[in-house]
Amino acid sequence: MRRLINTISIASIIILLPSCASMYLSKGKEDFGNLKYKAAIESLERSVEKKPNTEASTLLARAYAQTHQPVAAVYEFEKIKTDPAFNDDLKLEYASALLGSKKYEEALTISNGILSRDPGNQIAQSIKISANRVDRMKRDSSLYQIESFSVKGIKTCLLYTSPSPRDLST
């Protein structure tokens, strides 16, 4: 008798588990559509946990992006980036999350790919400009050195100095 009850319990869990996932997915979709991103994240995380699927991961990635959690968004986007439904709009959202995660080269690669197919895509152009500006800033800031110096009454003081022309020639 006990064995029968255990078997029925396990069978009901197996049967109900996917329906729980779809219930969480439905709730997550509703919350996402109503711009309740934090609530959507909770439901979609549960849906993905119960039964991983592309739709839930896509919405979860987008909800993370909307709540300024680019690292989590990138993680979810990477789960679905090989799916045929991963279109240019999703790629742009992914590239934007990559920018927020400081993965500028990857974001630039995606935007360049989209621009090769659609040169007028303003979002891809914007991502490309942002990634290039960061790259220029990094190169420019490497031209400066930080030197400490003493000022009476101040514990720490830093001076930014540009290199001499001699340093630039190397």
Side-chain angles (χ1 to χ4, degrees):
M1 184 66 170
R2 197 169 258 250
R3 182 179 270 174
L4 179 64
I5 291 172
N6 285 341
T7 304
I8 291 171
S9 296
I10 291 171
S12 64
I13 289 171
I14 291 171
I15 291 169
L16 292 176
L17 200 58
S19 66
C20 287
S22 63
M23 178 187 71
Y24 286 124
L25 175 58
S26 294
K27 177 75 170 110
K29 284 167 64 172
E30 180 184 332
D31 287 337
F32 188 89
N34 291 327
L35 310 179
K36 297 177 181 176
Y37 299 119
K38 290 189 181 200
I41 288 170
E42 289 177 24
S43 296
L44 293 166
E45 282 176 340
R46 288 188 177 144
S47 177
V48 168
E49 181 182 300
K50 303 276 186 210
K51 183 182 172 193
N53 69 79
T54 302
E55 185 178 15
S57 288
T58 301
L59 288 172
L60 184 54
R62 294 179 70 208
Y64 281 136
Q66 290 294 326
T67 56
H68 307 290
Q69 299 178 64
V71 174
V74 166
Y75 177 78
E76 289 301 322
F77 277 126
E78 288 179 350
K79 289 181 184 178
I80 58 168
K81 69 181 181 182
T82 59
D83 191 272
F86 198 68
N87 60 22
D88 282 354
D89 290 336
L90 289 174
K91 287 177 186 176
L92 289 170
E93 289 186 54
Y94 176 43
S96 184
L98 287 167
L99 279 178
S101 299
K102 299 181 181 178
K103 296 183 178 183
Y104 308 113
E105 289 299 318
E106 292 176 57
L108 185 59
T109 301
I110 291 169
S111 65
N112 283 336
I114 291 170
L115 288 169
S116 71
R117 294 185 300 281
D118 180 10
N121 190 309
Q122 292 181 338
I123 296 170
Q125 289 172 354
S126 177
I127 290 170
K128 181 178 180 173
I129 289 167
S130 295
N132 283 331
R133 280 188 181 156
V134 168
D135 186 50
R136 261 196 327 266
M137 249 182 10
K138 286 192 303 188
R139 280 186 302 198
D140 185 49
S141 66
S142 68
L143 296 176
Y144 296 90
Q145 299 172 354
I146 300 175
E147 297 177 16
S148 61
F149 66 96
S150 300
V151 174
K152 190 173 183 171
I154 298 177
K155 288 186 178 185
T156 304
C157 195
L158 299 175
L159 172 67
Y160 295 94
T161 60
S162 60
S164 68
R166 170 179 50 89
D167 293 336
L168 291 175
S169 62
T170 59

